[in-house]
Amino acid sequence: MSDILLQHGMMLLILACLFGFIMAYGVGANDVANAMGTSVGARAITIKQAILIAMVFEFSGAYLAGGEVTSTIRSGIIDVQTADFENNPELLVYGMLSSLLAAGVWLLIASWKGWPVSTTHSIIGAIIGFAVVGVTAESVMWNQVTSIVASWVLSPLMSGIIAFGIFMSVQTLVLDTDNPFANAKKFIPGYIFLVGFIISMVTLVKGLSHIGMEVSFGQAAIYSVGIGILTMAVGIILLRNIEEDPTASNENNPGEFSSLERLFGVLMIFTACSMAFAHGSNDVANAIGPLAAVNGVVSSGGIFTEESALPVWILLLGGGGIVIGLATLGYRVIATIGQHITELTPSRGFAAEIAAAITVVIASGTGIPVSTTHTLVGAVLGVGMARGVSALNLRVVGKIFLSWIVTLPAGAALSIAFFFLFRAAFS
């Protein structure tokens, strides 16, 4: 075992837990706005309700379906079997500590300013930064990085196309019909079933293995149909309580209190839950992946095993940090996402949220750490494009794109500085 790990192993692990919590806090404060911002912006739920939903479903997603992406962040970006790490395992520990702290600090700055940045960019940029400067450029698995970067382009494109298609289906089946209110009551339960089915499939197929339970794909499909039907039944009960108000705003003035949009407001409660679950399953890895790496190295005496089990307490720490970050600082970025990109009504916000959720859960199930920010902004743009480019606030969109570009080098620069600091302090 490395002398440094022998002497300072417990202190390094404590620091990793602290920095992991800071990172998770930043994820909650910044990225959860992507899960909740559309619902709040569309007036479907309040910020307090968004926090309560996120507490349940962000945490559930992190706990049940967060392991696949975690393994990618933990061991899929840098080659831990290089000579540098084998002979000096403490370098990997310093690097992961630096990555967590760098990404966490950047997220706190961005959240305080109300900038919706990508937490996935932050942590991956930080890991690449320390690896290139602190170790060697050859230690970075560039093929894996290339596929991750490609997903950052493909995920908003995919979610935008899905959102466009879903919103066009809403227009065709509901909004542009002779009796939109009656058709909304007719078709919205089907959309609710879709939400329940998709989230259930991801949880059953990918999530239960992390808590020691296994189900086959066929069994998961059967269970998911049942859960989807149950979810749909709950939705139908909620929809029954909404009656058409002829004095409410009409199709040409679709205010948030119109009878039709109130129906979609019920639907957005379900999509908010699904988006929070999807976000928790994907983005908890940004906080706990490096922490899991440090825990693995310290507990094994300096040997990094790529297939090491992910301790439950690490998932709990990540999920808890995400919820606390949302509850205390998330309102700033929620305002940016929910109100400033385009005018959102529940029918538009629903299409964006379910499209983003579908994209994120697919990516999470396949182990690709996509950016929830990219995914949701792509979905909102897709909904906006269905109404024409003039419906978009291109100035705000431009600022968001610029923040994406700045995030990766900012994470890398901070990580490099922290890496040399930790190496000097402990070596």
Side-chain angles (χ1 to χ4, degrees), residues 259-281:
S259 301
L260 182 60
E261 292 296 346
R262 285 175 63 207
L263 291 175
F264 280 99
V266 172
L267 181 55
M268 281 207 77
I269 295 173
F270 290 93
T271 56
C273 295
S274 69
M275 190 60 203
F277 183 94
H279 179 269
S281 70

Side-chain angles (χ1 to χ4, degrees), residues 342-402:
T342 188
E343 180 188 357
L344 289 175
T345 62
S347 58
R348 299 166 193 160
F350 146 72
E353 277 194 351
I354 187 60
I358 291 172
T359 305
V360 172
V361 293
I362 290 173
S364 181
T366 54
I368 300 174
V370 299
S371 166
T372 309
T373 306
H374 287 201
T375 303
L376 194 94
V377 170
V380 172
L381 290 175
V383 170
M385 289 299 293
R387 299 165 52 224
V389 178
S390 60
L392 300 172
N393 187 334
L394 296 179
R395 184 177 62 85
V396 172
V397 173
K399 283 185 177 181
I400 292 175
F401 285 165
L402 182 62

Side-chain angles (χ1 to χ4, degrees), residues 301-362:
I303 301 172
F304 186 94
T305 55
E306 295 186 24
E307 299 301 324
S308 60
L310 184 65
V312 171
W313 66 267
I314 291 182
L315 279 170
L316 296 176
L317 184 146
I322 284 177
V323 168
I324 295 172
L326 169 67
T328 55
L329 194 58
Y331 65 93
R332 289 177 176 265
V333 180
I334 281 179
T336 301
I337 290 290
Q339 299 170 7
H340 299 156
I341 295 178
T342 188
E343 180 188 357
L344 289 175
T345 62
S347 58
R348 299 166 193 160
F350 146 72
E353 277 194 351
I354 187 60
I358 291 172
T359 305
V360 172
V361 293
I362 290 173

